[in-house]
Amino acid sequence: MSKIDSAAINRAIGEWAAHIAGSAAAGSAPLAVIGLISHGDLLARRLVRLLEERGVQAQYGALDISLYRDDFDMKSSKPALRSSYLPFSTDGLRVILVDDVVYTGRTARAALNALFEYGRPAHVELHTLADRGGRELPITPDYSCFVINAPTGDVAVHLQETDGCDEITC
């Protein structure tokens, strides 16, 4: 089992924010960073804070995709639903969807379906903390901090806000 520690994750998130800030050119569409509940929203909040420190304005949102998943009927009859937080329309925005790990691509597909319930963005990007490979759908993140070759093994992301530490184990 290998592990990515807190220092590496924090450094990577700083570089991630710098990448977004560098691509937020003057005159481009307004920016929204929307995290997928339950770890993507925490990462999105961190990114928005770091972007603001760099003078880049970004709206923050959190998206629950539970009802949009293609395995909804295979899960328990009472899925754990959480409230999305999108107090704005996505019309005309550059939206960065944030998730902790991309694997099969099915979560990203569900996120796109959910996102369009809130408007028609000008541009949508998928950003992840880790890309573990193993796609089942033709979906590739625009940005990933870490590429982990673990298509069949477990990849666990732990974040300070919920788990008391930042680490990725695989």
Side-chain angles (χ1 to χ4, degrees):
M1 175 171 13
S2 62
K3 182 167 112 173
I4 299 171
D5 67 9
S6 177
I9 290 172
N10 286 324
R11 192 169 40 256
I13 292 172
E15 292 168 3
W16 190 359
H19 172 79
I20 295 169
S23 66
S28 64
L31 180 63
V33 180
I34 300 172
L36 305 185
I37 295 172
S38 72
H39 280 117
D41 58 325
L42 302 173
L43 293 166
R45 191 176 299 277
R46 289 190 201 184
L47 286 168
V48 168
R49 187 180 69 249
L50 291 171
L51 288 168
E52 288 175 351
E53 290 173 7
R54 289 170 168 78
V56 176
Q57 293 299 311
Q59 296 184 76
Y60 164 79
L63 194 58
D64 179 14
I65 62 160
S66 300
L67 295 175
Y68 294 87
R69 296 185 55 91
D70 63 0
D71 60 354
F72 177 72
D73 60 339
M74 293 184 249
K75 296 210 176 255
S76 95
S77 60
K78 295 182 182 180
L81 300 177
R82 298 176 202 105
S83 293
S84 292
Y85 174 77
L86 275 167
F88 50 86
S89 166
T90 60
D91 288 338
L93 298 179
R94 173 186 174 208
V95 172
I96 295 177
L97 284 175
V98 176
D99 202 4
D100 57 347
V101 178
V102 62
Y103 179 32
T104 63
R106 293 180 181 282
T107 298
R109 187 211 50 84
L112 289 169
N113 289 346
L115 178 66
F116 279 84
E117 295 285 333
Y118 292 89
R120 188 173 188 271
H123 185 81
V124 180
E125 299 172 29
L126 175 63
H127 288 211
T128 63
L129 183 62
D131 178 350
R132 63 174 285 178
R135 247 26 119 246
E136 295 174 1
L137 299 176
I139 292 175
T140 302
D142 296 284
Y143 186 90
S144 288
C145 295
F146 301 101
V147 176
I148 300 168
N149 188 11
T152 58
D154 286 335
V155 173
V157 174
H158 303 281
L159 296 176
Q160 181 68 40
E161 295 88 339
T162 56
D163 306 306
C165 67
D166 288 333
E167 71 178 12
I168 301 172
T169 56
C170 45

